[in-house]
Amino acid sequence: MADMLSTGVSGLLASQIGLSTVSHNVANVNTDGYSRQVVSFGARLPEGQAGYYVGTGVNTVAVQRAYSEFLNSSLWSASSGQGRASTMASLTSQLNNQLAGSSNLQTSLDSFYGAVQDMANAPSDTASRQVLLARAGGLATTFRALSGQFSQLSGQIQQQIGDAVDAINVDTQSIAKLNDKIRSFSSTNGMPPADLLDQRDALVKKLAGEVGISVVPQNDNTISVFAGNGQALVTGTQAHALGTAANVYDATRVEVVGAGSGNVISGRIGGGALGALLDFRSNVLDPAQIQLGRAAQAMAGAFNAQHAQGVDLHGDVGGPFFAAAGPTVQGASTNTGSGTVSASIDDIGALSGKEYLLSYDGSAWSMRDTAGNAVALGGSGTAADPFTAAGLSLVVGGGANAGDSFRVQPSRDAAAGFSVLIDQPDKVAAAAPFVVAASAGNTGSAAARASIADGADPSLFNAASIVFSSPTSYSIDGGAAQTFTPGQPIVHNGWSMQLDGAPQAGDSFSLKPNSNAQGDNANALMLGKVANLGVLDGGVTSTGRAYSQLVGQVGGAGALAKDELTTQTAVYNQAMSAQQSVSGVNLDEEAANLVRYQQAYQASAQIISTANSIFNALLGAVRS
């Protein structure tokens, strides 16, 4: 009877553990990261009885979670991808909204050039000139507003990078603490509690959404966690906190640095929300700021160049109409010398949209773009003979030491300083500066046109007569004979005359200042053509086209981000479904288990009751 009682008690206890486990599963059905727990039973060793064995009951072997390392790893990877895609989609959408909002640059460009055309139709009308200046002010405001919005978004990203790093450090510290608890339980009880493992896995999943990680299980039931580039985040019970530091060239720009070493690892983090923030900043926002700046520089450069070819209502040469900031140079915070670098645009058509690092090795200067590609330098770097490269003119000064470097940003801040320099309607140079006429007796096919070569020349508006003594020789105002080369301009007193066709001996041309500055619209018509004038990319891309490229590149990035989010969401949902099919709590299954363990419990109780009745009957028989 003792064996029967012991067998019943073992079954009772086993069923009780089963009921407790089912109850625990049901209670945690809505707990994020919880893995269904399963009870494992094993038969006790039987007792030998002559030629047979009699069973002695059941032992509870383990209470373990339903778990698949492969499925959990897949879920972590999917969480990293979704975290990155979600953040990237949100940022690109915000940038697209800025470009499509009330600060739409294309609308401002269209309004401005419409006002230029209206002025060309009525060059002497003060009202049309005032409207032109108002539209020019609106265009400048749009450039600055877009630049300000980009800068505000950049500042927001700097803050988000810091917040993401803080969140990562909190999670890695929690994982390290759980590692310590799990290792302690493992050393004491042989295996860790399933609930602690679930808590750690939930934190790992959250961490994966913040930054791309790899997880390496250890023999003591702890895990080591590394960022995508191999940077250790957790090793055993030790958390390795990431940090942030100011960019070596720009103190307002935050970089992610590794634990302990302080080395910048921003370019080596690819997954999770942090990877998206860094990727968006470097590959979407920075190029957008640069392209906006290029458009501002193209607008100011092209319009100013044409405006300087005309005269205003007073007959004065047109001055600069717009202003856009030029290149900026930032010295590295690690520089030890007193060297300086100043930069200006030498050829706007050669600006590539890239940024550069100018470095000194102790004996010579060298330049590379930010991708590491070498850029050839012309010149010696002095004020008289500056370095020339990639459309830039660079002058170095002071005493640079070996290892000093400077970052050159040709266009990034150009739009922030875009402004209108002319504030009086009568200063708009709508008229042509000269009237050029061919003598009625000319026998050649040459037709002449003149432009301003040097607006500061005091003799610019002196009348002149050009007489050809032969097809290849001419004199100005009866002076010495000069050689004429077909295709080459005749330059004198700050003006430049271009001949189309071939002159003959005896042909003459007269040049005099335009006395009809009030009603002439020749330069205004040319100003209107600046809208489609190729300026950037070797004279191919106009200001409007540059802005269209900006909209296209940002829109393309946004479309890719949306597609990636759709894909990564589907991957995440599939990974979650697969993981939950193994580890998730199914209430129907738990209800069935509850009935099963309840019946087993009642049956075991009946065994104990039967054993008790037999024992009492045996005692009664002995007493009688």
Side-chain angles (χ1 to χ4, degrees):
M1 295 306 103
D3 290 340
M4 184 177 178
L5 181 62
S6 176
T7 299
V9 169
S10 71
L12 190 72
L13 293 175
S15 298
Q16 187 178 38
I17 292 173
L19 287 168
S20 297
T21 301
V22 170
S23 300
H24 188 57
N25 287 340
V26 172
N28 285 280
V29 65
N30 295 314
T31 301
D32 184 38
Y34 178 79
S35 297
R36 175 173 55 90
Q37 295 181 8
V38 180
V39 184
S40 299
F41 301 108
R44 289 180 176 179
L45 291 176
E47 292 182 356
Q49 301 288 337
Y52 56 90
Y53 292 91
V54 177
T56 59
V58 64
N59 284 328
T60 302
V61 176
V63 178
Q64 297 176 311
R65 58 180 184 156
Y67 175 79
S68 166
E69 182 176 348
F70 171 77
L71 293 178
N72 265 37
S73 296
S74 297
L75 180 60
W76 297 338
S77 177
S79 179
S80 178
Q82 189 194 40
R84 183 188 186 284
S86 177
T87 302
M88 183 65 79
S90 174
L91 292 171
T92 53
S93 175
Q94 188 172 345
L95 187 58
N96 270 301
N97 289 339
Q98 289 178 349
L99 289 175
S102 57
S103 296
N104 187 304
L105 183 60
Q106 188 60 56
T107 300
S108 294
L109 285 169
D110 292 342
S111 296
F112 172 73
Y113 280 111
V116 172
Q117 186 61 50
D118 291 341
M119 182 200 65
N121 293 335
S124 61
D125 182 19
T126 301
S128 65
R129 290 169 172 260
Q130 289 175 331
V131 171
L132 172 63
L133 293 182
R135 297 287 170 79
L139 177 62
T141 299
T142 301
F143 268 115
R144 293 196 300 270
L146 277 174
S147 179
Q149 290 173 353
F150 287 0
S151 296
Q152 183 179 11
L153 182 55
S154 178
Q156 174 187 324
I157 289 173
Q158 312 310 317
Q159 180 63 47
Q160 287 180 296
I161 289 173
D163 292 344
V165 168
D166 290 341
I168 289 168
N169 290 338
V170 169
D171 290 340
T172 54
Q173 289 173 2
S174 298
I175 291 172
K177 290 178 180 178
L178 282 171
N179 269 347
D180 187 37
K181 291 182 180 180
I182 289 170
R183 186 168 68 177
S184 177
F185 274 103
S186 298
S187 61
T188 302
N189 302 317
M191 62 183 303
D195 295 314
L196 287 182
L197 295 175
D198 284 343
Q199 290 178 28
R200 187 178 67 186
D201 285 353
L203 280 172
V204 171
K205 175 174 169 287
K206 180 173 179 290
L207 180 64
E210 295 163 346
V211 63
I213 58 172
S214 57
V215 179
V216 180
Q218 304 299 317
N219 293 332
D220 58 357
N221 290 313
T222 63
I223 59 172
S224 293
V225 183
F226 301 90
N229 67 317
Q231 171 67 45
L233 300 178
V234 179
T235 53
T237 60
Q238 183 67 41
H240 306 281
L242 296 178
T244 57
N247 181 276
V248 68
Y249 298 103
D250 183 359
T252 65
R253 189 179 180 93
V254 173
E255 302 291 352
V256 180
V257 296
S261 66
N263 294 328
V264 175
I265 61 173
S266 298
R268 293 176 285 169
I269 293 176
L274 180 59
L277 288 166
L278 296 169
D279 186 17
F280 174 81
R281 183 179 69 176
S282 297
N283 297 319
V284 180
L285 183 57
D286 286 353
Q289 288 180 302
I290 293 170
Q291 184 69 1
L292 180 65
R294 293 178 77 216
Q297 290 170 331
M299 181 67 199
F303 201 85
N304 287 351
Q306 187 58 54
H307 193 253
Q309 289 299 315
V311 292
D312 60 22
L313 291 179
H314 304 287
D316 296 327
V317 175
F321 195 97
F322 290 113
T328 58
V329 179
Q330 300 165 320
S333 60
T334 55
N335 287 357
T336 59
S338 58
T340 61
V341 175
S342 61
S344 60
I345 296 176
D346 180 60
D347 179 4
I348 193 169
L351 294 182
S352 64
K354 297 180 180 179
E355 297 182 341
Y356 305 93
L357 295 179
L358 188 67
S359 304
Y360 185 65
D361 64 4
S363 61
W365 291 89
S366 62
M367 192 163 84
R368 295 181 177 274
D369 62 26
T370 49
N373 302 310
V375 179
L377 286 174
S380 61
T382 64
D385 183 27
F387 289 133
T388 55
L392 298 172
S393 176
L394 305 166
V395 177
V396 298
N401 289 341
D404 287 358
S405 63
F406 299 82
R407 182 169 68 182
V408 182
Q409 298 177 318
S411 306
R412 183 176 299 207
D413 298 325
F418 194 87
S419 61
V420 181
L421 298 178
I422 290 181
D423 57 3
Q424 298 177 28
D426 56 348
K427 292 294 185 181
V428 178
F434 310 110
V435 175
V436 179
S439 174
N442 286 359
T443 60
S445 61
R449 48 191 171 87
S451 62
I452 297 174
D454 180 6
D457 193 308
S459 302
L460 177 65
F461 291 115
N462 291 349
S465 175
I466 301 90
V467 178
F468 282 83
S469 58
S470 74
T472 59
S473 179
Y474 67 91
S475 63
I476 301 177
D477 295 334
Q482 302 182 53
T483 301
F484 172 70
T485 303
Q488 295 297 317
I490 298 173
V491 180
H492 183 70
N493 285 351
W495 50 259
S496 175
M497 179 180 290
Q498 185 72 43
L499 295 182
D500 298 323
Q504 296 297 320
D507 286 359
S508 65
F509 299 86
S510 63
L511 179 146
K512 60 182 180 179
N514 185 3
S515 60
N516 187 32
Q518 293 284 335
D520 184 66
N521 68 349
N523 199 53
L525 293 173
M526 296 303 296
L527 287 172
K529 294 181 179 180
V530 172
N532 299 314
L533 180 65
V535 181
L536 298 169
D537 304 321
V540 173
T541 305
S542 66
T543 302
R545 178 60 180 163
Y547 178 69
S548 297
Q549 290 175 349
L550 168 61
V551 174
Q553 70 188 43
V554 172
L560 287 174
K562 288 181 180 179
D563 291 343
E564 183 69 10
L565 179 58
T566 300
T567 301
Q568 290 299 330
T569 299
V571 170
Y572 175 82
N573 290 338
Q574 184 177 4
M576 175 62 79
S577 177
Q579 191 266 352
Q580 285 295 296
S581 69
V582 173
S583 300
V585 176
N586 185 311
L587 290 178
D588 291 336
E589 181 182 359
E590 297 305 319
N593 288 336
L594 190 65
V595 173
R596 179 163 63 91
Y597 287 129
Q598 180 183 12
Q599 291 176 343
Y601 186 91
Q602 291 171 342
S604 296
Q606 187 62 40
I607 292 173
I608 295 172
S609 177
T610 300
N612 184 57
S613 297
I614 294 173
F615 183 68
N616 288 334
L618 184 59
L619 287 178
V622 172
R623 291 193 188 101
S624 62

